[in-house]
């Protein structure tokens, strides 16, 4: 009589090394195997045959690994996401050039600060722009499975990288401020802007792990456009324009229209689903 | 992925796996083994998946936010992972239904018997 518990333990070890599955997935597959074995035993099949049949039905570890790899490969990036990544790369190159220019005149600290803040803030705009494209695509027709997946993946990646860059840039800015202005932090417009931009990037990053709330990432990303525009360009505008720069006011209004458009579409979709039920 | 009386094309089985899983989960929360049994029963044995191949699909649907999963104690006393459909998953299912209905309608137009 076959020792099924030993067989299952050996199978699990073999599956772990060949398929590359994580512990949680192995737990799930083991539970599946046990149910299959129980079902086959109930139908009167012998222990020897039950084991062979159950394992054959589950599939070979190498085949399972290949299926997971296929799914990874099928996650092709949506075209706007590809464009967004190119924009980020181009902005990175320009930020580096700007940083080298600052570095020559004002030192390495400011150079790295300029690089981090420029790229981090630019990525916020890219995220917001991508969210606007997604909302427009949604208005034109329901986004395909892969598009939504591609959009969310890119948004969370940009948010994470932007949060790190803005945090590093802000900390370096604090040390520069201590050296040149005699204090680390004074909640001036630039510093307040950096605080809110960092908060926005962190909030979007956190949504990656809150699946039911992931859709809100796009609204926060568009709000991030408004905050970044004010924190970056508003803060650097002439004193008389800081709070009421007309271009900024128009830009903020346009972003609010996109947020409203996305919310209206979302509510209309929900009402449509309820009517169908 | 398929073993049984009628050998369905690999690509057809792969393409139908997502709408099948979403449709089954739209009825109620369910778990991997039961989903496979349901497909087997509904297709009267015509569609038989290699059981392990369901899990990449389930994990992908969980990853993109169409389903959510939770571990719970089963009546066997062991922990079991249950899946249920999210609002985004219902939206995706509606899209799948529209696409399959369009394909089905087109093929039916071509395959209607023509009488002399």
């Amino acid at each position: 009589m076959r020792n099924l518990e030993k067989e299952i333990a050996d199978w699990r070890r073999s599956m772990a090394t060949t398929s590359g599955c994580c512990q949680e997935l192995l737990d799930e597959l083991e539970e599946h195997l046990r149910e299959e074995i129980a079902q086959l035993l109930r139908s009167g099949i012998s222990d020897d045959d039950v084991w062979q049949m159950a394992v054959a039905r589950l599939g070979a570890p190498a085949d399972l690994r290949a299926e997971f790899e296929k799914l990874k490969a099928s996650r092709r990036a949506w075209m706007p996401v590809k464009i967004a990544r190119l924009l980020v790369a181009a902005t990175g190159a320009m930020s580096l050039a700007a940083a080298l220019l600052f570095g020559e005149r004002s030192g390495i600290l400011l150079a790295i600060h300029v690089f981090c803040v420029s790229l981090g803030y630019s990525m916020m705009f890219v995220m917001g722009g991508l969210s606007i494209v997604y909302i427009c695509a949604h208005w034109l027709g329901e986004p395909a499975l892969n598009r939504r997946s591609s959009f969310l993946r890119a948004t969370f990646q940009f948010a994470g990288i932007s949060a790190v860059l803005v945090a590093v840039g802000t900390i370096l800015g604090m040390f520069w401020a201590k050296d040149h202005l005699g204090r680390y932090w004074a909640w001036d417009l630039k510093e307040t802007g950096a605080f809110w931009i960092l908060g926005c990037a962190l909030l979007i990053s956190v949504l990656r792990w809150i699946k039911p709330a992931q859709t809100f990432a796009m609204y926060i990303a568009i709000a991030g456009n408004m905050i970044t525009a004010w924190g970056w360009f508003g803060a650097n505008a002439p004193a008389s324009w800081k709070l009421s720069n007309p271009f900024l006011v128009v830009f903020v209004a346009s972003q609010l229209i996109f947020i409203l458009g996305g919310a209206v579409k979302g509510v209309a979709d929900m009402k449509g689903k309820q009517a169908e039920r | 992925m398929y073993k049984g009386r009628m050998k369905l094309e690999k690509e057809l089985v792969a393409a139908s796996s997502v709408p099948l899983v979403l449709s089954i989960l739209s009825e109620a929360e369910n778990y991997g083994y039961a989903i496979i049994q349901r497909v087997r029963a509904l297709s009267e044995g015509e569609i038989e998946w290699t059981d392990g191949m369901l899990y990449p699909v389930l994990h992908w649907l969980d990853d993109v936010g169409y389903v959510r999963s939770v571990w719970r104690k089963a009546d066997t006393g062991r922990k079991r992972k249950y899946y249920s459909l999210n609002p985004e998953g219902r939206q995706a299912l509606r899209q799948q239904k529209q696409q399959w209905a369009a394909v089905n309608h087109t093929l039916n137009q071509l395959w209607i018997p023509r009488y002399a």
Side-chain angles (χ1 to χ4, degrees), chain A residues 141-208:
Chain A
E142 288 190 31
L145 293 174
N146 282 337
R147 276 188 188 179
R148 183 176 183 277
S149 161
S150 174
F151 159 71
L152 284 175
R153 257 196 335 274
T155 299
F156 295 132
Q157 283 167 0
F158 290 154
I161 297 170
S162 175
V164 169
L165 288 169
V166 171
V168 169
T170 304
I171 291 167
L172 291 176
M174 285 166 63
F175 283 110
W176 182 90
K178 178 65 180 165
D179 286 344
H180 292 81
L181 304 174
R183 56 34 170 208
Y184 286 109
W185 191 269
W187 289 105
D188 68 14
L189 268 176
K190 286 187 192 178
E191 287 158 354
T192 307
F195 174 80
W196 285 109
I197 292 165
L198 177 60
C200 192
L202 285 171
L203 184 56
I204 297 171
S205 301
V206 161
L207 287 179
R208 180 183 209 148

Side-chain angles (χ1 to χ4, degrees), chain A residues 24 28 30-32 35-36 39 57-58 64 67 71 142-143 145 148-149 211 215 273 276-277, chain B residues 31 33 51-53 55-56 59 62 64 66 71 78 80-81 83 88 90-92 94-95:
Chain A
E24 196 178 292
E28 205 176 355
E30 182 184 326
E31 176 58 24
H32 184 110
E35 290 218 38
E36 189 73 71
Q39 172 68 22
R57 282 187 181 181
L58 198 54
L64 188 66
E67 287 297 320
L71 273 176
E142 288 190 31
L145 293 174
R148 183 176 183 277
S149 161
K211 292 249 172 83
T215 310
K273 278 175 237 169
E276 274 177 23
R277 283 186 216 158
Chain B
Y31 61 99
Y33 185 76
D51 299 359
M53 304 314 162
Y55 291 97
H59 281 240
D62 195 357
V64 298
Y66 290 119
W71 284 94
R78 295 177 58 83
R80 186 187 276 160
K81 196 172 185 183
Y83 294 86
E88 288 79 11
R90 291 193 190 276
Q91 195 176 338
R94 203 174 58 196
Q95 196 185 356

Side-chain angles (χ1 to χ4, degrees), chain A residues 1-262:
Chain A
M1 181 146 166
R2 233 184 165 108
N3 184 343
L4 284 173
E5 287 301 324
K6 185 182 175 307
E7 296 277 11
I8 290 171
D10 290 342
W11 165 87
R12 189 175 170 125
R13 260 193 303 276
S14 163
M15 187 62 96
T17 43
T18 316
S19 70
C21 295
C22 62
Q23 288 305 311
E24 196 178 292
L25 179 56
L26 285 171
D27 289 342
E28 205 176 355
L29 292 171
E30 182 184 326
E31 176 58 24
H32 184 110
L33 186 64
R34 287 180 182 277
E35 290 218 38
E36 189 73 71
I37 289 169
Q39 172 68 22
L40 290 169
L41 283 171
R42 277 196 295 270
S43 54
I45 296 172
S46 71
D47 280 8
D48 284 342
D49 292 339
V50 153
W51 176 251
Q52 297 297 334
M53 286 175 70
V55 168
R57 282 187 181 181
L58 198 54
D63 292 342
L64 188 66
R65 186 186 196 119
E67 287 297 320
F68 272 105
E69 293 297 323
K70 252 193 255 173
L71 273 176
K72 273 188 211 168
S74 75
R75 290 161 68 180
R76 290 184 301 273
W78 186 28
M79 182 51 74
V81 167
K82 290 182 189 174
I83 294 170
R85 291 191 202 281
L86 279 173
L87 282 173
V88 166
T91 311
M94 287 192 294
S95 301
L96 189 60
L100 290 171
L101 187 67
F102 269 81
E104 281 181 32
R105 294 190 308 193
S106 312
I108 189 74
L109 198 66
L110 195 61
I112 300 174
H113 163 80
V114 165
F115 172 76
C116 289
V117 166
S118 301
L119 186 53
Y121 286 13
S122 300
M123 287 178 82
M124 291 298 293
F125 279 129
V126 169
M127 254 194 304
L130 196 54
S131 297
I132 289 169
V133 170
Y134 185 82
I135 285 172
C136 293
H138 198 177
W139 269 100
L140 293 172
E142 288 190 31
L145 293 174
N146 282 337
R147 276 188 188 179
R148 183 176 183 277
S149 161
S150 174
F151 159 71
L152 284 175
R153 257 196 335 274
T155 299
F156 295 132
Q157 283 167 0
F158 290 154
I161 297 170
S162 175
V164 169
L165 288 169
V166 171
V168 169
T170 304
I171 291 167
L172 291 176
M174 285 166 63
F175 283 110
W176 182 90
K178 178 65 180 165
D179 286 344
H180 292 81
L181 304 174
R183 56 34 170 208
Y184 286 109
W185 191 269
W187 289 105
D188 68 14
L189 268 176
K190 286 187 192 178
E191 287 158 354
T192 307
F195 174 80
W196 285 109
I197 292 165
L198 177 60
C200 192
L202 285 171
L203 184 56
I204 297 171
S205 301
V206 161
L207 287 179
R208 180 183 209 148
W209 290 283
I210 309 175
K211 292 249 172 83
Q214 280 183 345
T215 310
F216 290 107
M218 68 177 149
Y219 300 116
I220 299 169
I222 300 174
N225 272 356
M226 301 190 283
I227 296 167
T228 308
W230 231 301
W232 199 2
F233 303 117
N236 288 313
S240 58
W241 280 19
K242 278 196 195 311
L243 295 178
S244 59
N245 182 321
F247 296 111
L248 279 179
V249 170
V250 168
F251 180 74
V252 165
S254 69
Q255 303 306 291
L256 287 171
I257 289 170
F258 282 118
I259 290 176
L260 193 62

